[in-house]
């Protein structure tokens, strides 16, 4: 699959997730087999570009290309300015967020709220593509099937995107009003695939290699994007890529591999965020990695109380020291 001049080695990608897909996490996912990763969304408002949070989101040091940055907003000119600003910061692909369902984004008419104003969608897409084209940077779009189930307009949005020069479309199989409840549906994605020629990336509830194969076959999409299923399970990308290529399963990771990936992730995470923020923001990742593992239920409450990065990583090392490094995680636990 191609996005502009970039060719992806296989069709398994990381979905942008606020508070999750920071640079350390993207680097780990790419190292464990993800073909492509999009940053968590960056604000289009220039007044926020100097904030600590946004500055971190714009830091791509050491991240393998193509660096893809997602921007969010509702003003076409501001979004175009944000796109160019991020390109100067190292972005090789610009992704526009029209899929985020959370209230604080939709309440300012950004994210999936834009699906209720197709004319504005067209102006945004045209303006951002026009700003990026002279710099040789492709623009992609991530969106949902519609605002609610009575107003699914993904096919019209997809045609608009193609007409405006969008290089690839990622479609989550839920409406905004569905949030993350229930099950994603793929009939709309299948219909969109029939209507456009640009690459389509399927997103929503893809959590196993078999599910990835089914979604690709059913929808005709060119690639799949994994989000929540990769939280605490970054090896899912190599598992899916291997299954799609060979039809067989890789063995589950061992405790030794889990230790290596988790501690390496934490080292990068601490260095990125610093002591105070690092130890606190790491807690959710540790919880995801260890969820369901024997003995983790007594460790995790202690981990959540520690206020130092060294204490946090030392507690994990001691916990892993008590477990045989060569023992495999049970498949059900490696896929929690």
């Amino acid at each position: 699959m191609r996005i502009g001049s970039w060719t992806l080695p296989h069709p398994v990608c990381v979905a942008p997730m606020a508070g999750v897909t920071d640079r350390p996490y993207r680097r780990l996912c790419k190292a464990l087999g993800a073909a492509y990763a999009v940053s968590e969304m960056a604000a289009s408002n220039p007044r926020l570009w100097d904030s600590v949070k946004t500055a971190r989101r714009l830091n791509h040091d050491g991240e393998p290309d193509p660096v893809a940055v997602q921007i969010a907003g509702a003003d076409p000119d501001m979004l175009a300015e944000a796109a160019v600003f991020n390109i100067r910061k190292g972005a090789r692909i610009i992704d526009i967020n029209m899929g985020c369902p959370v209230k604080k984004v939709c309440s300012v008419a950004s994210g999936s709220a834009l699906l209720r104003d197709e004319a504005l969608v067209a102006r945004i897409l045209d303006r951002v593509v026009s700003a990026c084209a002279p710099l040789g940077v492709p623009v992609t779009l991530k969106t949902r099937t519609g605002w609610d189930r009575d107003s699914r307009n993904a096919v019209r949005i997809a045609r608009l995107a193609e007409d405006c020069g969008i290089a690839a479309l990622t479609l989550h199989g839920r409406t905004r009003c569905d949030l993350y409840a229930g099950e994603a549906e793929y009939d709309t994605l299948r219909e969109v695939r029939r209507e456009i020629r640009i690459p389509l990336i399927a997103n929503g509830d893809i959590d196993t290699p078999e599910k990835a194969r089914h979604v690709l076959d059913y929808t005709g999409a060119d690639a799949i994007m994994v989000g929540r299923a990769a939280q605490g399970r970054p090896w899912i990308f190599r598992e899916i890529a291997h299954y799609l290529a060979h039809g067989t399963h890789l063995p589950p990771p061992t405790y030794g591999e889990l230790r290596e990936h988790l501690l390496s992730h934490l080292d990068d995470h601490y260095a990125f965020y610093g002591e105070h923020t690092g130890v606190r923001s790491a807690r959710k990742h540790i919880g995801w990695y260890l969820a369901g593992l024997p003995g983790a239920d007594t460790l995790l409450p202690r981990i959540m109380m520690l206020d130092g990065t060294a204490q946090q990583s030392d507690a994990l090392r001691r916990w892993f020291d008590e477990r045989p490094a060569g023992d495999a995680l049970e498949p059900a636990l490696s896929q929690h």
Side-chain angles (χ1 to χ4, degrees):
M1 188 186 113
R2 293 177 64 85
I3 300 177
S5 62
W6 299 97
T7 301
L8 304 188
H10 60 75
V12 188
C13 312
V14 188
M17 293 176 281
V20 180
T21 50
D22 52 21
R23 190 193 71 190
Y25 186 77
R26 295 194 304 273
R27 293 205 311 189
L28 177 62
C29 291
K30 287 180 177 180
L32 289 175
Y36 176 64
V38 182
S39 75
E40 51 186 334
M41 61 184 174
S44 62
N45 189 336
R47 291 177 296 176
L48 302 177
W49 292 347
D50 291 330
S51 70
V52 172
K53 181 183 288 188
T54 298
R56 284 199 191 104
R57 291 180 176 180
L58 301 180
N59 184 328
H60 313 295
D61 295 346
E63 182 177 354
D65 275 334
V67 170
V69 174
Q70 187 178 82
I71 57 175
D75 181 270
D77 291 332
M78 197 177 286
L79 280 161
E81 185 182 357
V84 172
F85 176 81
N86 278 282
I87 291 168
R88 290 173 179 153
K89 289 284 188 177
R92 302 289 180 260
I93 297 171
I94 293 294
D95 185 62
I96 302 173
N97 182 313
M98 293 189 186
C100 181
V102 301
K103 186 175 181 180
K104 71 177 182 179
V105 174
C106 290
S107 64
V108 291
S110 296
S112 52
L114 290 165
L115 296 174
R116 293 183 292 182
D117 190 340
E118 294 179 19
L120 178 56
V121 168
R123 292 198 300 275
I124 288 172
L125 300 182
D126 183 68
R127 186 71 186 86
V128 175
V129 169
S130 297
C132 295
L135 302 173
V137 173
V139 180
T140 60
L141 173 65
K142 188 172 191 296
T143 188
R144 288 187 168 225
T145 57
W147 175 256
D148 58 31
R149 296 184 186 186
D150 294 325
S151 57
R152 288 192 177 108
N153 58 345
V155 171
R156 292 197 301 275
I157 296 293
R159 288 180 185 140
L160 273 177
E162 184 169 54
D163 290 345
C164 290
I166 289 297
L169 173 69
T170 299
L171 187 55
H172 184 115
R174 287 182 173 86
T175 69
R176 185 272 166 180
C177 290
D178 289 329
L179 299 177
Y180 294 99
E183 296 182 358
E185 59 90 9
Y186 306 110
D187 290 334
T188 303
L189 279 68
R190 191 179 191 178
E191 187 178 355
V192 165
R193 173 70 287 169
R194 293 173 180 150
E195 296 293 326
I196 60 173
R197 296 178 301 278
I198 59 174
L200 175 66
I201 304 172
N203 178 223
D205 292 354
I206 299 170
D207 54 6
T208 65
E210 291 85 354
K211 187 66 172 288
R213 178 78 275 166
H214 165 73
V215 171
L216 285 171
D217 290 345
Y218 185 78
T219 64
D222 301 276
I224 56 100
M225 188 168 271
V226 179
R228 290 172 293 163
Q231 293 174 353
R233 188 187 159 201
W235 48 83
I236 190 175
F237 301 101
R238 71 182 183 193
E239 291 177 340
I240 292 177
H242 179 88
Y243 184 83
L244 293 178
H246 305 289
T248 58
H249 290 277
L250 289 174
T254 63
Y255 275 92
E257 289 175 304
L258 173 59
R259 173 183 180 139
E260 176 188 353
H261 297 321
L262 173 50
L263 293 178
S264 174
H265 183 186
L266 290 181
D267 285 345
D268 200 8
H269 188 92
Y270 298 152
F272 187 67
Y273 285 101
E275 180 74 16
H276 179 80
T277 301
V279 71
R280 288 160 177 78
S281 56
R283 290 169 182 161
K284 61 178 178 287
H285 288 285
I286 296 169
W288 290 329
Y289 276 107
L290 301 185
L293 294 180
D297 54 343
T298 57
L299 171 69
L300 287 173
R302 299 203 312 271
I303 288 283
M304 301 307 166
M305 298 296 291
L306 298 175
D307 287 327
T309 58
Q311 292 173 298
Q312 203 173 60
S313 57
D314 285 347
L316 287 164
R317 285 188 176 90
R318 289 194 300 272
W319 188 81
F320 279 112
D321 285 343
E322 298 171 358
R323 282 148 182 84
D327 281 9
L329 304 179
E330 292 295 327
L333 294 176
S334 70
Q335 298 175 11
H336 55 255

